[in-house]
Amino acid sequence: MTDTPDEPAGSATSTDESPPVKDPSKWTLQTQAAFEPADTSDLVVTIVSAVADVEDVPVDRVDPPLQEVVDVDAISRSFARTHATDRDRDFSLEFPYRDHRIVVRGDEWVQVYSKQE
């Protein structure tokens, strides 16, 4: 389930460019999903659902729980807003979760990368 994000107005970047993960030559984009920044619980659900999708497991089998790995309240607050500005769209947050790199982008997309073998 890989959705394609709409390119922000006035932006010269797209998801086809180098991934925003450390050492991009070692990571492959597995999936991405949109989230609703006005709904702070949606971001957490989106992250866990995307990981479950990549691993082909039910959401309730993703362990450890995300809140044991990162401060989900802080992440949700960082992206909570009703209207994104161009500056907001350039913001991203990256963290490891399970064997993946999770990238939460200011343009309202969550991306899950897996290490290349």
Side-chain angles (χ1 to χ4, degrees):
M1 172 187 106
T2 301
D3 296 315
T4 304
D6 294 330
E7 190 160 299
S11 174
T13 62
S14 74
T15 58
D16 295 332
E17 294 179 11
S18 298
V21 296
K22 294 178 183 176
D23 198 358
S25 64
K26 295 183 180 180
W27 297 92
T28 302
L29 177 64
Q30 298 297 313
T31 193
Q32 54 191 8
F35 68 93
E36 176 55 53
D39 181 358
T40 57
S41 66
D42 184 59
L43 179 54
V44 174
V45 170
T46 301
I47 293 168
V48 175
S49 296
V51 170
D53 182 48
V54 168
E55 296 182 0
D56 197 25
V57 297
V59 172
D60 62 352
R61 299 286 305 261
V62 177
D63 191 56
L66 185 61
Q67 61 269 21
E68 290 182 11
V69 177
V70 295
D71 185 342
V72 294
D73 291 332
I75 292 172
S76 294
R77 282 192 311 273
S78 296
F79 290 91
R81 61 185 180 278
T82 54
H83 300 290
T85 65
D86 286 340
R87 188 177 63 169
D88 292 335
R89 292 179 183 276
D90 292 336
F91 179 74
S92 68
L93 177 68
E94 176 182 334
F95 59 91
Y97 182 48
R98 298 172 58 89
D99 291 328
H100 308 287
R101 296 295 301 171
I102 308 301
V103 178
V104 182
R105 297 175 17 165
D107 61 355
E108 302 169 10
W109 287 91
V110 169
Q111 297 176 316
V112 179
Y113 289 84
S114 294
K115 198 162 200 165
Q116 295 180 7
E117 296 181 20

